[in-house]
C-alpha cells in the first residue's frame, strides 16, 4: 500500500473551503456581520429538525415494538441502517461527482506533489463529513427507542457510536467507485448530460433492486406470513440480505458485548477499511484520467483555410435576433441545465419521486385495479386525496431550488445582468418562468398518477393540479424573494451556490407553514363552516391564488431594488 | 458623451477612498485614456459608470442620460468590457453573443457585420461554436470585447483591454477604435501601460489614489510637467507631486 503523504493538510483545506469555515468565522465572529441571520436560520431549522426527530422517534418506537412482538426488536436497526445507506448512496453519488470533478481547488491540487489517491481520499473525507448530520438524524431515534425498550449499557452506546461513524463509509465508497469509473469511461462532448443520465440510471437501479428484494413471490405469501409469525424467519437477515454489512452493523449493536456482536463489529469495521483501500487504489488508477478527460473536451481546430472559412460562415449564420424575454429565459434554462451540479442538487430531489410514480404507472391495469378497489373512493376520501396530492405537488416544489438559488447562482457573473439594458423586473420574470416550468416537470407525473391510480372525478383531478401549482407558486416566489433579499454571490464553486446556500433551507419552514395553514383552513371550512368538499377546495384555491398573486407582485416590484443594491 | 461630476466612492464604510471627487468629460469622437498605477481607482470609476457600483456622491451622465436616474436607458448606450471578464462558461461564444445582441435589440444584419469583422481581426472564427469554458483567458477577453462592440454603442468602455490581447490583435483593435471615433462615438479605456495611452489616445487623464491629477492632450501634459518629453517622466512627475 502506497503512503498517502499530505492527506491531512489536503483534507483540512478541503473541509475548510467546502464548508466555508474560515469565511463564516471571519464574517460572523470577527466582523460580526449580520449575526442574527445564521441564528434565525438555525433556530427555525432547529424547530423543524425537532419536529422531524419526534416523528422519526415515533416511527422507530413502532418498529422496535413490532419487531419485539416477533421476538426481533433489532430489525428496526436494520431498517434504519438500510434507509441511511440508500440515502447516503443517492445523495453521496451527486456529491461525489461535484466534489471529485468540479471543485475549484483541483487546478491547485493537481500540480502539487500528491498522489491521485491522496486527493481522492481527502475529497472522500470531505463528502463523508457532510453526511453525518443526516446519519445521526436517522439512526439516533432508533438507538434511543431501542435502548428504552431493550435497555442499553455503555457497551451498547459505544457500539452505536462506532456504527454511526462507519455507517456512511461503505455506501459512499460505492458511490465514489461508480463515479470514478463513469468519469473515466465517459470522455466526450456531452459529458455533463451523460453523467446526469448515468447517475439517474444508477439511482433507479438501486431503488429497483431494493424493491425487488423486498418482494415475496405471490404463491408463497401465505406460507411466508405463517413462518414470520411463528418467528421462524430471521428478520434481520431477510431485510438486510441486499447489503450484508447492514446485518453486521445491526448485530454489532444489538449483541454488543457478546462474542458474535464483537465479531460483527469487527467485520463491519474491516469491510469499511478494506473499502477505503479499494477506493484509494481505484483513485490511483482512474482519477486523473477522468479529470483530465473532462478538461480537454477537445476543441476541434480546423486545419485548412477552407475549414476556417466554413467555421466562420457557420458562426455568422448562427447570429440571429430573438425576442429579449425569450433570450433571458433561455439564459436561465441553459445555465441551469448545463451545470450537472445544479441539476443534481436543485432538481433531482423533486424529480426522483415523480419518476417513481412513472414506474408505478407501468404496473398492469388488472393488478392496479385489485389494489385500488380497496380504496373506498368518493366523498371525503376524494376530498382529502385531492388535498394530499396538491400537498405533494407543493412539497416537491419546496424541494426544487431553481428559484431559491436563482440570484445566488449568478455569482460572479452577476455583472452581466447589471450591465445589460434590461429592466430588472424582466430578468426576475424570466427566473419565475423558469422555476414554474421546472415545477411542472415534477407536478405532472404526480397528478397523472393520481388520475390513473384513484380515478377521481375530473373536477377533483383538476383541483389537485391547480391547488398544487398555486401552492408551488407561493413557495417558489417566496424562495426567490429570500434569495433576492440575501443572495450568496461569493462562491467559487457552483457546488456552493446550491449546497452551502442557506436560502435553500429557508424554503422548508415556509413550506411547513403553508401546509399547516392550508390544513387549518381546510378543517375550519369543513368542520367549522360545514362546507362541502368542492366548495372548500374552491375557497382554499382562492386563498392560495391571492397569496400567489401578492407574492408575485412583491417579487417583481422588489426586483429593481435588488439589482440596484447589489454591488459587484 | 461621458461626464462625471464630483464623483466619490469609498469601500468598507469609508475606510478606503477609492475615487475622490472626480470630475471629467469625454466629448464625442474622442479616445480617452484613463491612466494610473495599480489601485489608483480606474476600475472603481468604470464600474460606477456602467452601473456595477453606486457612487457615494456625484453624478454621471452618458450621452446626456443620468446613470442613476435612468439606468436602462444609459446602459443601452454603453458597451463594456471588464478587466477580467467572467463569462458564462456553459454557453458557447455564439450563444453568448446572441444573448447580448438580444437584450440590446441588435438587428441580425448588424450582428453579422460587426462580428464578422472582429472575428477575423481576433482570429476567433473557429472557436465561436465551442463552450466558453474551453477558451483561454485571451480568447475570453476577445469575446468580451466583441460583445461590447457588437451593439454599436455610443460609448465604449474598456477596462485594461490590452492585458489579454496579443500585439497583432491590439494593433488591429486600435484601428477599429479610431474608426468608431471618427463616426462620432467615444471610447473610454483604462490602462496602467503608458506606452499604450501615448500611442492610442486623443486625450489622457492621469489618476492616482482616487484623484485626477492631470488631464489633457499629450502636448498639454508635457507642458504641465515642465517640458519632460516622455510620458513616463510626466507620469512619474505628476503622480509624485500628488503624493508629496
Ligand atoms: N471590493 C473592494 N473592496 C475594498 N476595497 C477595494 C475593492 N475594490 C477595490 N478596492 C480598493 O480601491 C482602490 C482602487 O482600486 P481599483 O479601482 O481596482 O484600482 P485600479 O483599477 O486603478 O487598479 C484600491 O486601493 C483597492 O484596494
Ligand atoms: Mg483595475
Amino acid at each position: 500500500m502506497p503512503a498517502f503523504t499530505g492527506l491531512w493538510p489536503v483534507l483540512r483545506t478541503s473541509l475548510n473551503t467546502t464548508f466555508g469555515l474560515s469565511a463564516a468565522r471571519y464574517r460572523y465572529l470577527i466582523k460580526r456581520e449580520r449575526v442574527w441571520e445564521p441564528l434565525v436560520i438555525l433556530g427555525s431549522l432547529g424547530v423543524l429538525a425537532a419536529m422531524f426527530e419526534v416523528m422519526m422517534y415515533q416511527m422507530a418506537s413502532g418498529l422496535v415494538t413490532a419487531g419485539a412482538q416477533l421476538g426481533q426488536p433489532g430489525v428496526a436497526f436494520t431498517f434504519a441502517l438500510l434507509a441511511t445507506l440508500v440515502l447516503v448512496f443517492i445523495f453521496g453519488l451527486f456529491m461525489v461527482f461535484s466534489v471529485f470533478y468540479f471543485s475549484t481547488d483541483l487546478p491547485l491540487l493537481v500540480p502539487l506533489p500528491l498522489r491521485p489517491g491522496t486527493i481522492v481520499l481527502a475529497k472522500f473525507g470531505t463528502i463523508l463529513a457532510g453526511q453525518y448530520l443526516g446519519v445521526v438524524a436517522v439512526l439516533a431515534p432508533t438507538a434511543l427507542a431501542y435502548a428504552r425498550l431493550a435497555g442499553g449499557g455503555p457497551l451498547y452506546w459505544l457500539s452505536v457510536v462506532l456504527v454511526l461513524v462507519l455507517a456512511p463509509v461503505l455506501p459512499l465508497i460505492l458511490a465514489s467507485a461508480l463515479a470514478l469509473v463513469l468519469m473515466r469511461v465517459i470522455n466526450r462532448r456531452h459529458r455533463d448530460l451523460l453523467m446526469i443520465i448515468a447517475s439517474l440510471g444508477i439511482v433507479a437501479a438501486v431503488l429497483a433492486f431494493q424493491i425487488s428484494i423486498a418482494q415475496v413471490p405471490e404463491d408463497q405469501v401465505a406460507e411466508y406470513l405463517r413462518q414470520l409469525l411463528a418467528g421462524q424467519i430471521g428478520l434481520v437477515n431477510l431485510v438486510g440480505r441486499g447489503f450484508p454489512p447492514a446485518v453486521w452493523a445491526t448485530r454489532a449493536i444489538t449483541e454488543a458485548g457478546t462474542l458474535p456482536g464483537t465479531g460483527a463489529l469487527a467485520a463491519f469495521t474491516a469491510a469499511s477499511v478494506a473499502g477505503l483501500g479499494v477506493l484509494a487504489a481505484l483513485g490511483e488508477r482512474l482519477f486523473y484520467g477522468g479529470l483530465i478527460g473532462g478538461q480537454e473536451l477537445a476543441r476541434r481546430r480546423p486545419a485548412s483555410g477552407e475549414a476556417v472559412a466554413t467555421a466562420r460562415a457557420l458562426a455568422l449564420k448562427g447570429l440571429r435576433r430573438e425576442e429579449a424575454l425569450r433570450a433571458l429565459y433561455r439564459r436561465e434554462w441553459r445555465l441551469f441545465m448545463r451545470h450537472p451540479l445544479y441539476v443534481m442538487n436543485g432538481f433531482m430531489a423533486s424529480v426522483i419521486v415523480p419518476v417513481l410514480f412513472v414506474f408505478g404507472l407501468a404496473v398492469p391495469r388488472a393488478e392496479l385495479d385489485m389494489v385500488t378497489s380497496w380504496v373506498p373512493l368518493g366523498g371525503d376520501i376524494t376530498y382529502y386525496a385531492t388535498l394530499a396530492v396538491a400537498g405533494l405537488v407543493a412539497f416537491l416544489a419546496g424541494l426544487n431550488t431553481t428559484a431559491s438559488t436563482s440570484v445566488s447562482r449568478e455569482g460572479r457573473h452577476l455583472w452581466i445582468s447589471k450591465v445589460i439594458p434590461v429592466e430588472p423586473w424582466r430578468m426576475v420574470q424570466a427566473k419565475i418562468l423558469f422555476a414554474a416550468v421546472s415545477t411542472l416537470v415534477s407536478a405532472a407525473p404526480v397528478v397523472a398518477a393520481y388520475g390513473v391510480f384513484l380515478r377521481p372525478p375530473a373536477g377533483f383531478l383538476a383541483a389537485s393540479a391547480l391547488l398544487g401549482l398555486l401552492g408551488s407558486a407561493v413557495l417558489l416566489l417566496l424562495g426567490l424573494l429570500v434569495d433576492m433579499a440575501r443572495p450568496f454571490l461569493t462562491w467559487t464553486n457552483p457546488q456552493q451556490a446550491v449546497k452551502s446556500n442557506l436560502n435553500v433551507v429557508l424554503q422548508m419552514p415556509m413550506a411547513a407553514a403553508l401546509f399547516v395553514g392550508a390544513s387549518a383552513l381546510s378543517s375550519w371550512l369543513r368542520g367549522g363552516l360545514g362546507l362541502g368538499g368542492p366548495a372548500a377546495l374552491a375557497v382554499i384555491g382562492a386563498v392560495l391564488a391571492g397569496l400567489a398573486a401578492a407574492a408575485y407582485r412583491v417579487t417583481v416590484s422588489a426586483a429593481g431594488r435588488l439589482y440596484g443594491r447589489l454591488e459587484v | 458623451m461621458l461626464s462625471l461630476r464630483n464623483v466619490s466612492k469609498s469601500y468598507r464604510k469609508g475606510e478606503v477612498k477609492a475615487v475622490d471627487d472626480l470630475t471629467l468629460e469625454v466629448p464625442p469622437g474622442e479616445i480617452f485614456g484613463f491612466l494610473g498605477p495599480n489601485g489608483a481607482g480606474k476600475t472603481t470609476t468604470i464600474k460606477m459608470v456602467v452601473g456595477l457600483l453606486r457612487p457615494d456622491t456625484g453624478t454621471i451622465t452618458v450621452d446626456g442620460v443620468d446613470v442613476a436616474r435612468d439606468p436602462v436607458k444609459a446602459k443601452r448606450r454603453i458597451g463594456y468590457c471588464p478587466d477580467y471578464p467572467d463569462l458564462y462558461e456553459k454557453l458557447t461564444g455564439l450563444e453568448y453573443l446572441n444573448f447580448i445582441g438580444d437584450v440590446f435589440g441588435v438587428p441580425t444584419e448588424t450582428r453579422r457585420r460587426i462580428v464578422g469583422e472582429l472575428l477575423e481581426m481576433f482570429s476567433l472564427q473557429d472557436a465561436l461554436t465551442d463552450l466558453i469554458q474551453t477558451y483561454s483567458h485571451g480568447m475570453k477577453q476577445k469575446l468580451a470585447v466583441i460583445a461590447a462592440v457588437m451593439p454599436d454603442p455610443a460609448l465604449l468602455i474598456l477596462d485594461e483591454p490590452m492585458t489579454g490581447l496579443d500585439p497583432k490583435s491590439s494593433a488591429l483593435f486600435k484601428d477599429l477604435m479610431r474608426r468608431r471615433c471618427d463616426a462620432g462615438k467615444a471610447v473610454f479605456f483604462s490602462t496602467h501601460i503608458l506606452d499604450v495611452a501615448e500611442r492610442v489616445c486623443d486625450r489622457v487623464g492621469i489618476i492616482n489614489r482616487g484623484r485626477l491629477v492631470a488631464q489633457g492632450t499629450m502636448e498639454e501634459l508635457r507642458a504641465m510637467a515642465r517640458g519632460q518629453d516622455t510620458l513616463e517622466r510626466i507620469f512619474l512627475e505628476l503622480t509624485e507631486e500628488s503624493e508629496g
Side-chain angles (χ1 to χ4, degrees):
Chain A
M1 178 144 231
F4 295 104
T5 44
L7 180 57
W8 172 238
V10 178
L11 176 61
R12 201 178 44 202
T13 318
S14 173
L15 283 170
N16 193 341
T17 50
T18 306
F19 297 107
L21 299 181
S22 293
R25 192 172 54 209
Y26 177 72
R27 182 157 175 204
Y28 297 123
L29 294 184
I30 299 178
K31 282 192 78 187
R32 303 203 165 268
E33 208 175 78
R34 306 216 272 186
V35 179
W36 55 270
E37 259 183 22
L39 293 182
V40 168
I41 291 168
L42 288 178
S44 58
L45 276 184
V47 173
L48 270 185
M51 280 162 55
F52 176 76
E53 285 304 277
V54 169
M55 241 173 59
M56 288 295 291
Y57 179 76
Q58 277 164 352
M59 239 167 72
S61 296
L63 265 176
V64 172
T65 318
Q69 277 163 4
L70 298 172
Q72 305 177 46
V75 75
F77 269 113
T78 322
F79 274 119
L81 279 163
L82 273 182
T84 314
L85 299 176
V86 171
L87 286 178
V88 167
F89 176 80
I90 291 177
F91 290 105
L93 185 65
F94 297 142
M95 268 296 264
V96 165
F97 276 116
S98 48
V99 175
F100 277 22
Y101 295 99
F102 299 102
S103 295
T104 34
D105 57 351
L106 286 170
L108 304 175
L109 289 176
V110 171
L112 295 179
L114 297 165
R115 312 184 64 97
T118 308
I119 299 180
V120 164
L121 284 179
K123 293 284 164 202
F124 178 84
T126 310
I127 307 168
L128 187 67
Q131 305 293 321
Y132 282 110
L133 207 61
V135 172
V136 171
V138 178
L139 285 183
T142 305
L144 273 175
Y146 186 86
R148 264 197 63 194
L149 193 97
L155 277 178
Y156 167 81
W157 286 109
L158 182 68
S159 318
V160 166
V161 170
L162 281 175
V163 167
L164 254 169
V165 170
L166 291 175
V169 174
L170 278 174
L172 213 50
I173 286 175
L174 220 60
S176 307
L178 274 170
L180 283 170
V181 172
L182 266 179
M183 286 301 270
R184 186 68 192 88
V185 176
I186 305 177
N187 251 338
R188 49 184 128 161
R189 224 170 134 75
H190 297 292
R191 182 175 165 108
D192 293 350
L193 184 67
L194 287 174
M195 237 173 65
I196 292 175
I197 294 171
S199 36
L200 260 187
I202 292 172
V203 167
V206 167
L207 289 175
F209 176 67
Q210 283 296 333
I211 291 168
S212 75
I213 276 224
Q215 239 134 39
V216 179
E218 251 174 73
D219 49 337
Q220 294 165 26
V221 173
E223 168 65 12
Y224 172 79
L225 280 177
R226 194 194 60 73
Q227 285 185 359
L228 189 68
L229 291 173
Q232 288 169 353
I233 294 180
L235 274 178
V236 171
N237 285 327
L238 180 76
V239 174
R241 70 188 151 157
F243 193 69
V247 176
W248 305 336
T250 305
R251 300 189 62 192
I253 294 176
T254 55
E255 295 168 40
T258 68
L259 192 60
T262 315
L265 186 60
F268 191 48
T269 312
S272 304
V273 173
L276 283 177
V278 172
L279 179 65
L282 275 178
E284 287 284 313
R285 256 166 234 178
L286 303 178
F287 182 51
Y288 278 178
L291 188 63
I292 291 159
Q295 273 152 12
E296 275 171 358
L297 277 175
R299 294 210 313 104
R300 300 138 307 155
R301 281 172 194 287
S304 64
E306 199 182 318
V308 171
T310 320
R312 180 192 146 90
L314 204 71
L316 289 184
K317 218 173 128 231
L319 285 166
R320 222 172 299 120
R321 182 170 179 175
E322 221 179 29
E323 205 261 314
L325 185 61
R326 256 185 86 155
L328 291 169
Y329 174 74
R330 276 204 188 196
R331 169 177 68 160
E332 297 293 323
W333 171 267
R334 285 177 173 152
L335 293 182
F336 190 89
M337 287 305 180
R338 291 181 187 177
H339 266 290
L341 291 177
Y342 294 161
V343 179
M344 286 175 184
N345 289 318
F347 201 39
M348 278 309 154
S350 63
V351 175
I352 284 177
V353 178
V355 164
L356 292 181
F357 277 108
V358 175
F359 279 129
L361 290 179
V363 175
R365 187 73 238 181
E367 287 186 27
L368 206 66
D369 284 341
M370 239 172 62
V371 179
T372 52
S373 63
W374 289 88
V375 183
L377 258 194
D380 273 3
I381 299 285
T382 318
Y383 170 76
Y384 288 114
T386 301
L387 267 193
V389 170
L392 182 56
V393 168
F395 174 74
L396 293 174
L399 294 181
N400 181 329
T401 63
T402 46
S404 59
T405 60
S406 195
V407 181
S408 299
R409 285 197 314 265
E410 294 203 37
R412 61 182 197 287
H413 302 123
L414 187 77
W415 71 271
I416 298 174
S417 293
K418 288 203 54 150
V419 302
I420 56 179
V422 176
E423 289 85 0
W425 60 265
R426 300 240 281 168
M427 285 189 253
V428 167
Q429 262 186 347
K431 289 183 190 306
I432 294 173
L433 191 62
F434 175 60
V437 170
S438 75
T439 311
L440 283 178
V441 173
S442 65
V446 176
V447 174
Y450 178 40
V452 173
F453 288 145
L454 299 182
R455 286 191 244 166
F460 280 93
L461 188 64
S464 74
L466 202 62
L467 293 192
L469 290 176
L470 285 171
S472 308
V474 174
L475 286 179
L476 290 174
L477 287 166
L478 290 179
L480 179 57
L481 255 180
V482 169
D483 198 46
M484 285 165 61
R486 47 184 306 283
F488 172 43
L489 297 166
T490 52
W491 48 266
T492 48
N493 169 357
Q495 157 97 1
Q496 293 173 317
V498 284
K499 272 262 167 174
S500 319
N501 189 342
L502 288 172
N503 298 345
V504 173
V505 189
L506 278 176
Q507 206 164 277
M508 289 179 213
M510 295 193 289
L514 189 70
F515 291 139
V516 171
S519 316
L521 180 62
S522 157
S523 60
W524 179 64
L525 289 173
R526 302 297 313 266
L529 297 185
L531 285 189
L537 288 177
V539 174
I540 296 174
V543 170
L544 285 176
L547 280 177
Y552 179 77
R553 293 199 60 142
V554 174
T555 312
V556 168
S557 68
R561 249 168 298 143
L562 160 82
Y563 281 101
R565 179 174 54 83
L566 294 176
E567 298 202 320
V568 283
Chain B
M1 184 60 65
L2 169 67
S3 141
L4 287 88
R5 298 238 171 290
N6 309 105
V7 174
S8 294
K9 175 78 187 175
S10 307
Y11 288 110
R12 297 203 211 108
K13 300 191 181 101
E15 273 174 49
V16 183
K17 190 129 198 180
V19 173
D20 192 0
D21 197 29
L22 187 73
T23 297
L24 65 82
E25 190 88 34
V26 180
E30 183 171 278
I31 302 182
F32 185 88
F34 199 39
L35 180 65
N38 288 323
K42 304 183 293 294
T43 297
T44 306
T45 306
I46 286 178
K47 281 184 170 180
M48 287 190 285
V49 175
V50 300
L52 292 175
L53 295 173
R54 270 173 311 169
D56 298 338
T57 59
T59 50
I60 301 171
T61 58
V62 174
D63 200 10
V65 182
D66 187 324
V67 170
R69 210 167 304 149
D70 204 344
V72 174
K73 201 171 161 195
K75 286 171 192 174
R76 242 189 272 288
R77 290 161 166 68
I78 303 175
Y80 163 60
C81 175
D83 43 1
Y84 294 97
D86 269 317
L87 306 177
Y88 300 124
E89 305 264 303
K90 294 286 179 184
L91 294 190
T92 66
L94 192 62
E95 286 168 342
Y96 180 68
L97 290 179
N98 268 328
F99 171 70
I100 295 295
D102 292 338
V103 293
F104 273 89
V106 183
T108 302
E109 289 320 309
T110 315
R111 288 180 204 196
R112 291 187 178 158
R113 176 169 53 79
I114 296 183
V115 175
E117 191 179 356
L118 285 170
L119 275 185
E120 203 137 358
M121 186 179 293
F122 290 153
S123 44
L124 218 57
Q125 289 99 322
D126 53 323
L128 224 49
T129 46
D130 290 323
L131 289 183
I132 295 176
Q133 69 181 18
T134 64
Y135 290 14
S136 70
H137 172 66
M139 290 164 78
K140 281 181 198 163
Q141 196 159 25
K142 287 172 181 172
L143 184 66
V145 168
I146 296 178
V149 177
M150 189 180 63
D152 200 14
L155 174 65
L156 189 60
I157 298 185
L158 308 159
D159 197 354
E160 309 263 1
M162 307 300 167
T163 51
L165 300 185
D166 48 64
K168 181 177 146 244
S169 316
S170 71
L172 289 167
F173 188 61
K174 261 178 351 204
D175 292 344
L176 178 89
M177 291 204 281
R178 187 74 270 157
R179 267 183 286 142
R180 293 181 54 77
C181 288
D182 294 344
K185 295 178 170 141
V187 177
F188 180 97
F189 79 90
S190 77
T191 179
H192 63 275
I193 304 167
L194 304 158
D195 195 37
V196 173
E198 193 164 15
R199 274 183 296 127
V200 184
C201 302
D202 298 320
R203 232 152 44 88
V204 175
I206 297 180
I207 183 176
N208 192 33
R209 301 187 169 196
R211 291 182 149 273
L212 194 68
V213 288
Q215 64 170 321
T217 60
M218 287 309 304
E219 285 71 38
E220 288 165 355
L221 289 179
R222 271 186 202 116
M224 239 182 279
R226 304 181 204 96
Q228 304 280 5
D229 51 1
T230 66
L231 192 57
E232 178 96 49
R233 293 265 179 81
I234 300 171
F235 181 60
L236 287 174
E237 181 97 353
L238 290 171
T239 49
E240 261 159 34
E241 225 165 60
S242 78
E243 277 164 29

